Structure formats: C-alpha cells, structure tokens
Amino acid sequence: MLLDFEQPIAALENKLQEMKKLASESQVDVSEAVKALEEKIKNLKKETYANLTRWQRVQLSRHPDRPYTLDYIHGIASKFVELHGDRTVSDDKAMVGGFGEIEGRSVMFIGQQKGRNTKQRQLRNFGMANPEGYRKALRLMKMAEKFGKPIVTFIDTPGAFPGLEAEERGQGEAIARNLKEMFMLKVPVICIIIGEGASGGALGIAIGDKVMMLENTWYSVISPESCSSILWRSWNYKEQAAEALKLTATDMLQHKLIDGIIKEPLGGAHTEPAKMMRMLKKEILNLLDELEAVDSEERIMQRIEKFSNMGVVLES
C-alpha cells in the first residue's frame, strides 16, 4: 500500500526496475544511470521522510503493514506465554499480554492488538479495548509486581471502545483505576507507543517510568478526524486538526510529555520490521538496565513527580 506522499518515490523505483530489466535483456550498459537513479531515490526518501507533515505521520502510524503488538512481542522475546481473561467478565481480544523472555530476563508484555484482515479486525475490535481489557491488563501488571518482573506495554489504539455496553460495565472506572494503580507499581514500567495513541484508551496502559514513542506515531487526547468533526462538523479538515493538536513524537518530546523517541528505519517500521525489532529490543534492554538500578520507592516517586509536572498551570 502506497500513501499519497510516497507516489514520487514509487515512480522512480518503477523506473529503476525497468532500467535493470533493460540491462538484463540487452547488451546496453546502464550501470552509471542505475547508480545515479539509486542515489536520487535514496536522497528523495531522506528528504520526504524528514519533512513529513503531522497528518502524514498519522497516516504512517496507521499503515496496514506496520508491526502490531504481537509482532513486536514475538520478534523481540522468546518463550512468550499469553495470559487470558480479567477473572470477572471475559477475555478481551483487543488487549493481549503475558510473560516472555528478553536475553534471559522475564518481562510482562501488555498491549493493544489490531487485526490484519476483516475477520481479525472484528475479533480484535480494531484495537479498541473494553473495560475487561483494561482490567485484564491491570491483573497482569499486579501479577508481574507479585513476582518482581518488569512491565513493558505497547500502545496502539484509536481509543477505548465507546459502545453502550462498555460504558455500562464501567469503561471510565476501569481506565481511572489503571492510572491510579500504575503510579504505585513497584517494578519498572516501560510504555512504548508503536502506532496510534488516542485518548484515555492509550493512557490506560501508558503510566510508566519511561514513556517512549516510535518515530512515526502519534499521541493525543483525540484523533485528527474526530477533532475535525467536532470543530468543523466535517472530517475534511483533519490535516489542520493534526497540525493544531501537535501530536507527533517530536511535539510530545518538546512538551516533555514523553521521555524519548525511538528511530524507525527509513520509510517506517513496516519497511524493515526485522531491523525495527532489533532497535526496539536494544532500547528496552538499555531502559531496563537504567530503571533496575533505581530503588523501587525512589522510582515510584520519580514516576509520580514526572506526571505531576506535566501541563501548564497559571497562578494569579
């Protein structure tokens, strides 16, 4: 799948393929032309992806080929055992979690999971968790705390499920309880936004000692389309909404709402998933080393202080 801003790159890549095909089928030497075109494509890619608008980064974060939570878990961890159910209502397929090993370290992984096709998307509810999903996540966090294992959460959701049945079962209370309990967890907590980070649905598993964002992701109280529909009564102004929301990883870091940005391969995580897994694994291991060196009580106080300092307060 090609996005609008990727069309010029695709056109040059097609031309390159035709040139290589011509060279293989004839005796014409086009090696210099091929080399020049490859350099031109490389430079165009660098220029394009270095100057993406906020809306274009939103588009990249939603690319259907991007790795999802389970892709990352299986890509960076071994011996992953998925755990199910909130022990109250049901097992929410939009929220996954379980123990896995990274370089011999046991880690509790939790995250929203989207689907690849229509059937999977329905099963995963498009990555929108119900209250039982957040309660399952909290149950797993408490289990990790009991056994003294660090927690890594992957955030990728367009928001918590807004259906009537979700509200009846206490969607707001489930998310609020997660916020409260995550502040007090005695084990290291690393939260990584790997795609979409929308509203309380994302925040429900995003209170951590380190909150990181992949380069082409977004994190905001509302999606650009929903913001546009509220302000302009139309989705046609989503680009302007994205600019106003300042929702990219760079924006979040400038406002001190996250702790760092994890670079992606040129073109996005989906272009070189294996490389993305290696980069993410290295980052997680470095963060675990840093956090485990801090006393648990001190870590909790730093976590609380970090989130308490967010935002702007004007005193009269």
Side-chain angles (χ1 to χ4, degrees), residues 2 11 21 23 42 76 92 127 161 204 210 214 223 234 247 277:
L2 284 175
K21 185 179 179 182
K42 183 180 177 181
I76 66 178
D92 189 346
F161 185 58
K210 295 291 182 180
L214 298 194
S223 71
S234 167
L247 39 59
M277 307 289 177

Side-chain angles (χ1 to χ4, degrees), residues 209-265:
D209 302 297
K210 295 291 182 180
V211 180
M212 312 294 288
M213 289 179 71
L214 298 194
E215 185 181 5
N216 296 307
T217 62
W218 63 275
Y219 195 23
S220 176
V221 70
I222 194 171
S223 71
E225 294 94 333
S226 298
C227 177
S228 175
S229 66
I230 291 172
L231 294 181
W232 291 284
R233 300 286 187 264
S234 167
W235 279 26
N236 296 333
Y237 300 92
K238 51 188 179 291
E239 291 91 347
Q240 292 95 311
E243 290 298 319
L245 286 168
K246 293 182 171 55
L247 39 59
T248 66
T250 304
D251 294 323
M252 293 295 106
L253 189 61
Q254 286 176 351
H255 288 92
K256 300 180 180 178
L257 299 175
I258 61 169
D259 298 292
I261 299 171
I262 302 171
K263 294 286 288 183
E264 294 185 22

Side-chain angles (χ1 to χ4, degrees), residues 190-208:
I190 300 169
C191 307
I192 304 169
I193 294 138
I194 59 171
E196 299 185 272
S199 193
L203 201 58
I205 57 169
I207 302 295

Side-chain angles (χ1 to χ4, degrees), residues 103-201:
E103 302 291 338
R105 287 174 162 173
S106 291
V107 176
M108 175 63 79
F109 294 99
I110 299 168
Q112 289 105 351
Q113 176 67 22
K114 293 178 176 178
R116 293 286 175 196
N117 53 43
T118 302
K119 189 173 181 180
Q120 287 181 6
R121 290 180 188 121
Q122 289 177 330
L123 176 69
R124 301 293 182 181
N125 200 27
F126 300 89
M128 297 186 292
N130 278 282
E132 48 270 28
Y134 292 100
R135 291 177 180 129
K136 173 168 77 170
L138 182 57
R139 181 178 77 83
L140 299 186
M141 291 177 202
K142 288 293 186 180
M143 182 185 292
E145 183 181 44
K146 179 180 179 181
F147 293 110
K149 304 301 180 185
I151 299 165
V152 175
T153 70
F154 295 114
I155 295 101
D156 186 13
T157 179
F161 185 58
L164 178 62
E165 61 272 29
E167 299 298 338
E168 289 174 340
R169 292 196 299 274
Q171 185 74 286
E173 186 276 339
I175 293 173
R177 182 172 294 276
N178 277 25
L179 304 187
K180 174 180 176 292
E181 296 292 343
M182 287 186 78
F183 274 116
M184 305 309 296
L185 290 169
K186 295 179 181 178
V187 294
V189 184
I190 300 169
C191 307
I192 304 169
I193 294 138
I194 59 171
E196 299 185 272
S199 193

Side-chain angles (χ1 to χ4, degrees), residues 3 100 237 282 288 290:
L3 300 172
Y237 300 92
K282 182 181 178 181
L288 286 176
E290 179 184 338

Side-chain angles (χ1 to χ4, degrees), residues 41-101:
I41 291 171
K42 183 180 177 181
N43 292 334
L44 180 59
K45 276 187 174 181
K46 285 182 178 178
E47 183 183 354
T48 300
Y49 292 107
N51 296 287
L52 293 177
T53 66
R54 291 180 173 92
W55 172 246
Q56 287 169 342
R57 293 211 185 270
V58 170
Q59 288 179 295
L60 264 185
S61 76
R62 295 170 175 169
H63 198 288
D65 294 332
R66 270 185 86 86
Y68 294 148
T69 292
L70 287 175
D71 298 320
Y72 282 115
I73 292 174
H74 290 298
I76 66 178
S78 59
K79 301 180 183 178
F80 176 65
V81 179
E82 187 174 351
L83 302 172
H84 299 271
D86 70 336
R87 301 296 186 266
T88 304
V89 178
S90 66
D91 180 42
D92 189 346
K93 303 296 184 184
M95 187 76 74
V96 297
F99 281 114
E101 279 191 8

